[in-house]
Amino acid sequence: KGCIGRTPQAKEFKMSQGRWPIKSAKILLDLLRNAESNAEFKNLDTENLTISHIQVSEAQQGRRRTYRAHGRINAYMNC
């Protein structure tokens, strides 16, 4: 368990193993549903909606902490 499974759908990208970002896909589908409902609310034609631009950026790195004795917290040191 824990390995990436082989899938025939990955052959399209010249690979044998593939995975799908389920959490990101759900967020994107919710965003599309929201855009469609906004168009219906504004009395626009929902059949002819087009997406002209999508941008995705990396999230900001969180600060890592090390928990020490007596309730102290220090910055995480990697060496």
Side-chain angles (χ1 to χ4, degrees), residues 26-76:
K26 284 183 182 177
I27 291 172
L28 188 61
L29 286 174
D30 288 340
L31 186 68
L32 291 173
R33 271 191 225 109
N34 188 12
E36 185 178 13
S37 66
N38 286 342
E40 287 176 1
F41 182 75
K42 293 181 178 183
N43 296 324
L44 299 175
D45 185 17
T46 57
E47 296 297 321
N48 294 325
L49 290 177
T50 58
I51 300 170
S52 61
H53 179 75
I54 291 179
Q55 179 176 346
V56 178
S57 302
E58 280 190 33
Q60 182 179 0
Q61 289 287 342
R63 303 268 319 224
R64 295 174 71 181
R65 300 183 290 185
T66 301
Y67 295 93
R68 308 302 294 263
H70 309 293
R72 294 178 297 143
I73 299 175
N74 286 359
Y76 182 78

